[in-house]
Amino acid sequence: MYAPDDPTPTDEQVAAAVTALRMLADPTRLRLLWALRDGEQDVSTLTAAVGAARPAVSQHLAKLLLAGLVHTRRDGRRVLYRAAGGHVRRLVTEVFHAADHHLTGAPEHD
C-alpha cells in the first residue's frame, strides 16, 4: 500500500499508475469519466454525454473497466457504470482544474 510519507512507490504501483494515466490520455475516456464523476450512468446516457458512437463508448468503457477506473452494476437488462471511487473522481476533477489554470493563466495553488 502506498503511504504518502514513503517517497518511493513500488514498480507495481508505478505500472498501475501509468496504466491509469494512459486511460485518461484519450479524450473520449476522459469525457466518460467526467460524466461518471457524480454517479451511475448507462451506455445510452454516456453515448449522448460524450457525443460518440455507442460501439466506441462500449469499447472505451471496457478498457476503463479493465484498468480498474470504473465499476459496473446490473439493473435488470441495463449495465450501470460508475467511477471507481473517490480517488478516480478527484483525479479527473483535478486534471480539469489544472487544464483550466493552464488555459486561463490562473495562478497555481496548493
Side-chain angles (χ1 to χ4, degrees), residues 5-50:
D5 57 340
D6 179 9
T8 309
T10 67
D11 291 344
E12 186 177 59
Q13 290 167 326
V14 169
V18 167
T19 297
L21 292 172
R22 279 189 185 134
M23 290 296 109
L24 292 175
D26 179 89
T28 300
R29 290 192 290 265
L30 191 54
R31 284 184 174 104
L32 285 168
L33 283 170
W34 180 257
L36 293 169
R37 78 196 181 287
D38 291 328
E40 296 178 320
Q41 307 259 354
D42 64 12
V43 174
S44 296
T45 304
L46 290 167
T47 297
V50 302

Side-chain angles (χ1 to χ4, degrees), residues 37-102:
R37 78 196 181 287
D38 291 328
E40 296 178 320
Q41 307 259 354
D42 64 12
V43 174
S44 296
T45 304
L46 290 167
T47 297
V50 302
R54 186 182 179 103
V57 168
S58 292
Q59 289 178 358
H60 285 297
L61 288 167
K63 289 180 181 182
L64 291 169
L65 187 62
L66 283 173
L69 297 174
V70 298
H71 294 302
T72 61
R73 174 177 74 84
R74 282 213 169 269
D75 181 28
R77 292 178 22 161
R78 294 184 324 151
V79 176
L80 298 172
Y81 292 85
R82 69 183 184 282
H87 290 295
V88 172
R89 289 190 305 274
R90 285 188 299 276
L91 179 61
V92 170
T93 300
E94 284 299 318
V95 78
F96 278 108
H97 282 257
D100 188 55
H101 280 255
H102 175 74

